[in-house]
């Protein structure tokens, strides 16, 4: 199987220029138009549900933070270090921590419609802003572990993230362009899924595709890999909620 994958890559043509580019650039014009028009973007259904959740509960998110627009810039700064727990939080962890600490409610389940809706709503407020992960020394060892995970060969196919998204980005695999793997639009609507999904869902899909045991949702290793990927994409504009094939 591994030899077949390499053969498909070799037959696929030359790698594109070594410049950072969002997966948006590699999509068809029709899919790009779907992302760019909020009236066509199916992810906006989750954003609308996020607005309902934002204003629900006692206290509601709005009770502390005001309108969702007040969250502009927040999503662009995650993952970040949480001093209270001494852990790295992605945006979903932050939402659930607020829910537990300040609303007295049980956390939403990973990849539930509720957590996807709220993170999509918050992420949308930063659309167009550059990704700006914190320059926090406490994040350094976690980011280093994320970089190691990015380069580590895993699974029965014995591949790493680097081999696809660095070494062969721009080539085609089974007819699809291999993206550079920049997490600029999550949570996003994936046509393959016919639904919204987080970056963690996409990473798990990749791990399963390599015939590896995927990290559990919300595992520390998963967050550390996210942390490195966002650093790798530093300065690229937020597209949340994006659309992908």
């Amino acid at each position: 199987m591994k030899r077949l994958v390499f053969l498909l890559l070799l037959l696929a043509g030359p790698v594109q220029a070594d410049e950072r580019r969002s997966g948006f650039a590699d999509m068809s014009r029709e899919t790009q138009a779907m992302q760019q028009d909020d009236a066509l973007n199916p992810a906006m259904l989750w954003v609308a549900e996020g607005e309902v959740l934002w204003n629900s509960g006692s206290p509601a998110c709005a009770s502390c933070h005001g309108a969702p627009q007040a969250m502009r810039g927040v999503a662009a700064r995650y993952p970040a270090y949480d001093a209270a727990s001494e852990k790295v939080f992605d945006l979903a962890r932050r939402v659930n921590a607020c829910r537990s600490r300040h609303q007295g409610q049980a956390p939403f389940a990973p990849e539930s419609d509720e957590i996807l809706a709220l993170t999509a709503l918050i992420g949308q407020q930063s659309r167009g802003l550059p990704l700006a992960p914190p320059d926090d020394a406490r994040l350094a060892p976690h980011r280093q572990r994320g970089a190691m995970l990015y380069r580590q060969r895993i699974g029965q196919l014995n591949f790493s993230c680097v081999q696809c998204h660095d070494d062969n980005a721009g080539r085609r695999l089974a007819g699809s362009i291999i993206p550079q793997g920049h997490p600029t639009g999550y949570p996003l609507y994936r046509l393959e899924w016919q639904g919204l999904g987080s970056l963690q869902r996409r990473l798990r899909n990749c791990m399963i595709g390599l015939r590896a045991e995927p990290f559990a949702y919300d595992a520390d290793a998963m967050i550390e890999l996210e942390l490195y990927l966002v650093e790798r994409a530093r300065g690229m504009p937020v597209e949340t909620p994006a659309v992908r094939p």
Side-chain angles (χ1 to χ4, degrees):
M1 180 63 179
K2 185 165 68 172
R3 291 182 180 179
L4 175 59
V5 172
F6 273 123
L7 179 60
L8 288 170
L9 290 171
L10 290 172
L11 294 176
V15 178
Q16 296 175 358
D18 184 20
E19 297 178 355
R20 291 194 308 174
R21 54 192 281 125
S22 161
F24 176 88
D26 297 322
M27 300 193 306
S28 68
R29 286 179 295 177
E30 292 78 10
T31 308
Q32 289 177 342
M34 186 183 296
Q35 175 175 315
Q36 290 176 311
D37 187 341
D38 285 349
L40 298 176
N41 187 334
M44 295 305 294
L45 296 171
W46 279 264
V47 172
E49 178 61 25
E51 291 190 43
V52 174
L53 292 168
W54 184 263
N55 293 293
S56 302
S58 181
C61 303
S63 301
C64 289
H65 300 291
Q69 291 79 5
M71 305 301 284
R72 183 161 177 79
V74 170
R77 300 193 295 269
Y78 274 81
Y81 190 81
D82 178 67
S85 64
E86 298 184 339
K87 298 183 74 172
V88 181
F89 277 15
D90 65 357
L91 188 57
R93 268 190 181 179
R94 171 57 64 198
V95 169
N96 270 335
C98 282
R99 185 169 168 80
S100 299
R101 295 172 184 173
H102 305 302
Q103 294 179 306
Q105 300 291 326
F108 292 124
E111 212 62 22
S112 62
D113 282 340
E114 292 86 355
I115 197 68
L116 290 172
L118 277 170
T119 52
L121 172 68
I122 297 169
Q124 185 206 21
Q125 310 314 312
S126 296
R127 195 161 54 178
L129 295 179
L131 285 170
D135 293 321
D136 186 337
R138 295 171 297 182
L139 291 172
H142 301 280
R143 189 177 290 118
Q144 289 169 2
R145 283 194 288 271
M148 290 175 61
L149 291 169
Y150 184 79
R151 295 177 174 86
Q152 181 179 338
R153 291 174 179 262
I154 61 172
Q156 293 179 346
L157 297 187
N158 197 35
F159 281 177
S160 68
C161 306
V162 166
Q163 288 173 281
C164 279
H165 300 297
D166 286 7
D167 298 346
N168 288 293
R171 293 183 185 272
R172 289 184 179 271
L173 178 60
S176 299
I177 295 177
I178 300 174
Q180 293 181 350
H182 297 298
T184 53
Y186 288 91
L188 55 75
Y189 188 93
R190 193 170 178 84
L191 301 180
E192 177 188 351
W193 297 336
Q194 289 294 288
L196 201 71
S198 68
L199 175 58
Q200 293 195 17
R201 180 178 179 180
R202 187 71 192 96
L203 292 172
R204 283 171 55 87
N205 282 174
C206 284
M207 293 173 188
I208 291 168
L210 296 179
R211 300 180 184 174
E213 182 69 28
F215 298 145
Y217 280 113
D218 201 40
D220 289 342
M222 186 73 85
I223 304 293
E224 288 173 339
L225 184 52
E226 286 189 64
L227 179 66
Y228 172 72
L229 289 172
V230 171
E231 179 63 35
R232 180 171 168 265
R234 177 185 287 273
M236 298 182 71
V238 175
E239 300 175 52
T240 309
V243 176
R244 293 291 184 266

